[in-house]
Amino acid sequence: MQKLIEITICDGKKEYEIFKALEARAGEVDDKVAAQVRAIIADVKARGDEALRDYSLRFDKYDAAEGFEVDFAEQAKRCAPQVRQAMECAAENIRAFHARQLRQSWYADGALGVMMGQRIRGLHRVGVYVPAGTAPLPSSVLMNVVPAKIAGVKDIIMVTPPWQGGVDPSIAAAAQIAGVDRMFLLGSAWSMAALAFGTQTVPKVDKIVGPANIYGATAKKLLYGTVDIDMIAGPSEILVVADETANPAWLAADLLSQAEHDVLAGIIFLSTSHNIAERTVAELERQLAVLPRKDIASEALRNNSAFLVCESMAQALELANAYAPEHLELCVQNPLELLGAVDNAGSVFLGHYTPESVGDYYAGPNHVLPTGGTPRFFSPLSVDDFVKKQQFIHYTEEALRRDMADIVTIAEAELLDAHARAAKVRFE
């Protein structure tokens, strides 16, 4: 009988083959899914609310005869007090972290009255998608909405699928805490189309943010250009680097925190200690036995995991950078000494007392992170995602006279005579 988890000794080649297999696990967007989503988008664009009602009834078993918009302030009253208090504390941490990201407009004066600069403006209206397929995710509300409010977004429209026929009280409370303006019970690809084009009741937005299932994510990708989006997020992933000081029980718990997300979740474990690797595998099997979502976690571990023993910490970090994980945990004695060697990771968790759940829910840094190797060039969701930059220039007559010859020379080199004349005509 094949073991659930195999430990591999790094040999300089085999581990990269394992990584390639993991990177390809989600594949390209399925053509059948893309065709279905295109049809949904076209239908919502053509029929608006009527199409939304049909899809909600068909897929979510939700009768929206009285409309999609909900009074989330009223629903928030049903949230358990301890849950609301925890979310308020988390929101304060998220605000404090993201407030430091806010950029300032600027301008600069030059000679002869020249002035130029850049204005930072919050987007006018943003749509936030909050999943609720297998569980309500109020933390997703906080992580997406709080940075938008700091950026100065004027109108935040939230869509979320019905949860048990309505709105989950914790999601409603999170929306109230974070500052959502309006909420609609809508899910999947049809909600993305509604936000992108607008319907009789759903306002058209400038940008859509938030994680979604394959249909919602495909819709975001197809709608990009009609509307801006945050990123194309794939299955979640965690990469843990551990030395001989790490606790196998803690390591196993951290790995399972991602394995329980999704059968496609990527689970990578790198250690310089074979003993720690073996004990971690044993702990995983023990903890799996009592995990409520053990079927999901087991499939993820069976199909999308790699447990590698490295010859050195330098090799472990080289592999971590090559994989470029969404979440990177450095469960080592001196994590700060290694941070400078980390080039590619969505978010880094340092030390034995920083499990990924600290970042998922509470500490302040955003949990909306690039996946699938894209931390090589994408960044976590931030205030920057909710602003636009507008530049301005002011020239005087004297300044244009000074620079006209160079402007004309470049324009004529590009064979754009009208560009050149636009400068020359002012002095004829």
Side-chain angles (χ1 to χ4, degrees):
M1 184 176 178
Q2 185 179 7
K3 290 183 179 180
L4 178 64
I5 298 166
E6 298 282 351
I7 297 175
T8 301
I9 307 297
C10 290
D11 63 3
K13 179 181 178 182
K14 190 184 302 180
E15 54 270 22
Y16 287 99
E17 295 174 356
I18 292 172
F19 283 1
K20 285 181 180 178
L22 286 171
E23 288 167 358
R25 71 190 185 281
E28 294 296 321
V29 175
D30 186 271
D31 289 340
K32 185 177 179 181
V33 170
Q36 292 173 332
V37 171
R38 283 193 184 94
I40 290 171
I41 290 171
D43 193 21
V44 172
K45 185 178 182 181
R47 295 196 298 134
D49 284 354
E50 183 182 354
L52 298 181
R53 280 190 287 270
D54 289 347
Y55 291 121
S56 293
L57 189 61
R58 178 181 172 188
F59 293 105
D60 288 333
K61 307 297 184 271
Y62 178 68
D63 186 353
E66 297 183 3
F68 307 101
E69 190 164 5
V70 293
D71 182 356
F72 61 92
E74 185 63 30
Q75 299 297 324
K77 295 175 182 177
R78 297 167 42 225
C79 182
Q82 68 272 25
V83 174
R84 185 179 185 102
Q85 182 179 3
M87 290 195 299
E88 286 176 343
C89 292
E92 282 304 309
N93 293 339
I94 296 166
R95 287 189 191 99
F97 180 86
H98 289 81
R100 292 177 174 269
Q101 298 174 340
L102 189 60
R103 300 191 189 189
Q104 300 298 315
S105 299
W106 61 269
Y107 80 95
D109 291 321
L112 301 179
V114 168
M115 184 178 75
M116 61 189 72
Q118 179 174 270
R119 300 172 72 215
I120 307 295
R121 320 303 291 170
L123 298 178
H124 177 71
R125 182 179 290 137
V126 167
V128 175
Y129 186 88
V130 176
T134 60
L137 300 175
S139 62
S140 188
V141 181
L142 302 179
M143 292 291 181
N144 283 277
V145 177
V146 170
K149 295 297 287 188
I150 292 171
V153 174
K154 298 173 180 64
D155 196 11
I156 297 178
I157 310 299
M158 189 177 118
V159 294
T160 187
W163 174 255
Q164 298 180 349
V167 180
D168 176 74
S170 65
I171 283 183
Q176 192 177 54
I177 291 166
V180 169
D181 293 292
R182 299 174 70 185
M183 182 190 296
F184 295 83
L185 280 186
L186 288 167
S188 198
W190 50 94
S191 71
M192 304 296 186
L195 291 170
F197 298 114
T199 70
Q200 293 88 337
T201 58
V202 181
K204 179 181 178 179
V205 303
D206 302 313
K207 184 164 188 169
I208 301 172
V209 300
N213 63 14
I214 188 171
Y215 292 94
T218 301
K220 283 172 69 177
K221 185 173 183 178
L222 294 174
L223 289 164
Y224 176 62
T226 299
V227 68
D228 192 16
I229 62 172
D230 50 353
M231 63 184 77
I232 307 294
S236 189
E237 57 209 14
I238 184 172
L239 189 152
V240 173
V241 175
D243 64 11
E244 65 282 352
T245 68
N247 185 316
W250 301 358
L251 298 172
D254 291 358
L255 294 166
L256 288 174
S257 73
Q258 280 308 290
E260 72 172 357
H261 254 306
D262 183 355
V263 295
L264 289 174
I267 316 299
I268 315 293
F269 179 79
L270 308 177
S271 181
T272 52
S273 167
H274 199 287
N275 176 50
I276 291 294
E278 288 184 331
R279 291 166 59 195
T280 300
V281 168
E283 273 293 332
L284 273 169
E285 293 173 348
R286 184 184 69 80
Q287 293 181 31
L288 259 177
V290 295
L291 191 70
R293 294 165 70 94
K294 65 181 178 182
D295 291 342
I296 293 173
S298 295
E299 188 168 347
L301 286 165
R302 183 178 296 108
N303 299 324
N304 309 307
S305 69
F307 284 69
L308 308 174
V309 177
C310 303
E311 62 182 19
S312 67
M313 193 55 66
Q315 184 186 49
L317 292 173
E318 179 184 333
L319 291 172
N321 282 324
Y323 187 70
E326 178 187 17
H327 307 94
L328 171 63
E329 287 193 8
L330 298 181
C331 298
V332 299
Q333 187 169 19
N334 298 306
L336 289 172
E337 293 180 2
L338 302 182
L339 182 59
V342 176
D343 293 326
N344 303 323
S347 191
V348 185
F349 301 78
L350 301 167
H352 299 312
Y353 290 91
T354 316
E356 188 202 306
S357 49
V358 168
D360 277 350
Y361 299 125
Y362 201 78
N366 212 286
H367 78 194
V368 181
L369 304 170
T371 63
T374 61
R376 292 180 295 112
F377 47 84
F378 278 147
S379 304
L381 190 74
S382 73
V383 170
D384 287 341
D385 289 291
F386 298 100
V387 300
K388 57 186 177 181
K389 304 171 186 72
Q390 179 187 87
Q391 62 188 31
F392 60 89
I393 309 166
H394 173 262
Y395 253 48
T396 61
E397 178 183 349
E398 293 80 7
L400 182 58
R401 189 184 299 276
R402 178 195 64 190
D403 296 341
M404 183 181 66
D406 286 344
I407 294 168
V408 168
T409 297
I410 295 171
E412 290 177 345
E414 294 187 348
L415 306 181
L416 296 174
D417 292 341
H419 280 65
R421 179 152 181 77
K424 292 191 294 185
V425 73
R426 285 165 165 77
F427 300 100
E428 292 177 353

